[in-house]
């Protein structure tokens, strides 16, 4: 989030980075409304004292920090960082492995299904680094799981 409170201005909604778009949640309208509500209260309060300086508007930052908006964003801080560092794996290698495994699993030829199922499982395990890799991944994303 940028600095939310300035001399004569407050920043709300998307402009303040108040969006959750992380593969689990896609929301921002609610945060825009909530931040607008708190900003409006702070502005009205400052205006009633004929003030517009940042010190008179800090209530907005405090109210927003206590609200679900900042608490929800903080809850997913770790996820954004983790996804960033697993970018290649999550958006390239894993989807490719899932697609390959699907093709293998549903293939119709003279091989019995169990062979295809085993090859599909093998393909997925390769992608995640075997059972140990899968366990490490599960641990990394345990808060989601
Ligand atoms: C594809 C997509 C899907 C989404 N799905 C969801 C969802 O399912 N649920 C959810 O809660 N949120 C969703 N969001 C997020 C949500 O749309 C935003 O978080 C929300 O609209 C932010 O509101 P806002 O008022 O901060 O900004 P905006 O809605 O972007 O409003 C800003 C306004 O300012 C105007 N503007 C910009 N510059 C100027 C200027 N110089 N002068 C005058 N006007 C200007 C723009 O034209 C715009 O109308 C989605 C967003 C996208 C892009």
């Amino acid at each position: 989030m940028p600095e939310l409170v300035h001399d004569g201005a407050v920043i709300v909604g998307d402009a303040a980075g108040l969006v959750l778009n992380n593969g689990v949640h896609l929301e921002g309208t609610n945060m825009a409304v909530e931040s607008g509500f708190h900003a409006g209260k702070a502005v009205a309060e400052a205006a009633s004292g004929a003030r517009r300086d940042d010190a008179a508007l800090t209530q907005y930052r405090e109210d927003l920090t206590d609200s679900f908006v900042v608490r929800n964003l903080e809850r997913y801080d770790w996820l954004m960082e983790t996804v960033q560092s697993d970018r290649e794996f999550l958006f390239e290698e894993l989807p490719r492995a899932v697609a390959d495994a699907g093709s293998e699993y549903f293939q119709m030829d003279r091989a019995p299904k169990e062979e295809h199922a085993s090859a599909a499982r093998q393909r997925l395990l390769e992608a995640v680094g075997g059972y140990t890799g899968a366990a490490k991944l599960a641990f990394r994303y345990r808060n989601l799981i």
Side-chain angles (χ1 to χ4, degrees):
M1 286 188 296
E3 180 48 62
L4 298 172
V5 175
H6 301 264
D7 242 0
V10 290
I11 306 182
V12 301
D14 273 16
L18 309 178
V19 189
L20 261 185
N21 181 10
N22 58 18
V24 183
H25 306 280
L26 171 51
E27 51 184 75
T29 310
N30 54 345
M31 297 181 173
V33 170
E34 183 76 1
S35 60
F37 167 70
H38 291 299
K41 276 202 316 185
V43 169
E45 180 66 27
S48 70
R51 290 180 61 184
R52 57 191 288 281
D53 53 289
D54 53 356
L57 295 167
T58 51
Q59 192 62 41
Y60 164 52
R61 190 193 302 110
E62 285 163 26
D63 287 349
L64 197 71
T65 303
D66 288 341
S67 75
F68 74 88
V69 175
V70 171
R71 288 171 66 185
N72 286 354
L73 290 173
E74 283 175 349
R75 177 177 163 78
Y76 286 103
D77 254 5
W78 71 274
L79 179 62
M80 302 313 282
E81 285 162 19
T82 308
V83 165
Q84 200 64 260
S85 61
D86 287 339
R87 202 181 170 88
E88 178 72 16
F89 170 71
L90 289 176
F91 297 106
E92 298 287 339
E93 294 162 15
L94 188 59
R96 203 175 301 125
V98 170
D100 290 350
S103 300
E104 178 65 45
Y105 190 83
F106 293 109
Q107 195 166 311
M108 290 181 293
D109 57 17
R110 304 195 69 206
K113 290 296 179 209
E114 64 191 57
E115 272 181 29
H116 287 300
S118 165
R121 183 167 51 245
Q122 199 52 40
R123 177 69 182 93
L124 286 177
L125 278 172
E126 268 167 29
V128 298
Y131 287 110
T132 312
K136 283 183 185 162
L137 265 178
F139 186 73
R140 267 163 88 72
Y141 289 92
R142 65 192 177 283
N143 286 351
L144 279 188
I145 295 165

